[in-house]
Amino acid sequence: MSLPAAASWRHQDSRTGLEVAFFHGHEGGWRINGATTAVEDGESWFVEYSIAVDADWHTRRAEISGRSAIGTRRTVLEADGGGRWRVDGVPDPRLDGCFDVDLESSSMTNTLPVHRLGLALGAAAEAPAAYVRAGDLAVERLEQRYERIGDRDFAYTAPVFAFSCVLRYDEHLLVVDYPGIAVRLP
């Protein structure tokens, strides 16, 4: 599946800000470079990322840097494609079985499991992810689930946040409407 050269999202409701991402196809996968900045609960933050996925849309590497009132941070996640991760060079068994990175700051990262899973209409799958917080870049495991309920509509749940919604995607399977979080800019 092809991707546009770039895409942008406006944060809404839960925070105010903007995200932009650039997509570069290469032999064996994609490199996605982006940045997002927002004000959330009175706190400002900025996150820049570079994510490499293989041809099967498994996250292989994510370099994330951020700045907030608590300072400047940087973290690097590396995955072997088989569900094992290293965070800043150290194995992190909490992330075993995860194939995607999910950045709290990003709507774009919700495209990764949708591409990787390739769900048929009516099918659902668990998609735990290596979740990176926006303010301090802390990494944790995030249990989540996607169910394809329409041609480009997916029911999404993240039980730890007691959150569920219907994510709407475009023809490239990039999020266009993430209720309460962001909308894609034309």
Side-chain angles (χ1 to χ4, degrees):
M1 171 168 289
S2 68
L3 291 173
S8 299
W9 294 263
R10 179 177 37 86
H11 301 291
Q12 65 180 21
D13 300 332
S14 67
R15 57 188 176 223
T16 302
L18 186 69
E19 176 179 9
V20 63
F22 299 93
F23 304 94
H24 309 281
H26 61 81
E27 188 175 319
W30 291 90
R31 175 159 305 279
I32 306 156
N33 296 306
T36 183
T37 186
V39 176
E40 184 173 12
D41 298 328
E43 299 293 325
S44 298
W45 46 258
F46 172 82
V47 174
E48 187 172 19
Y49 58 85
S50 179
I51 299 169
V53 298
D54 65 22
D56 294 321
W57 285 87
H58 295 101
T59 299
R60 299 308 297 268
R61 183 175 177 90
E63 299 174 33
I64 305 121
S65 60
R67 178 169 285 212
S68 68
I70 62 173
T72 301
R73 303 274 195 267
R74 184 173 188 280
T75 192
V76 176
L77 285 74
E78 298 169 290
D80 67 1
R84 289 186 196 79
W85 293 75
R86 296 175 77 79
V87 177
D88 296 325
V90 178
D92 192 337
R94 298 173 306 156
L95 305 176
D96 284 357
C98 296
F99 294 98
D100 310 297
V101 66
D102 187 337
L103 307 181
E104 179 182 31
S105 63
S106 172
S107 295
M108 184 288 302
T109 53
N110 287 86
T111 198
L112 305 178
V114 168
H115 278 274
R116 180 180 58 78
L117 293 167
L119 296 173
L121 188 61
E126 301 300 317
Y131 187 66
V132 182
R133 294 284 185 172
D136 61 3
L137 302 187
V139 179
E140 59 195 62
R141 182 186 185 94
L142 176 63
E143 300 296 335
Q144 48 188 2
R145 183 174 194 273
Y146 289 82
E147 178 182 0
R148 190 170 201 156
I149 59 172
D151 185 41
R152 298 181 187 159
D153 296 340
F154 291 78
Y156 170 75
T157 58
V160 72
F161 300 124
F163 183 80
S164 62
C165 69
V166 172
L167 297 173
R168 299 192 189 288
Y169 291 78
D170 69 6
E171 68 275 15
H172 306 288
L173 292 180
L174 293 171
V175 173
V176 294
D177 184 20
Y178 192 152
I181 306 291
V183 293
R184 174 93 178 271
L185 296 173

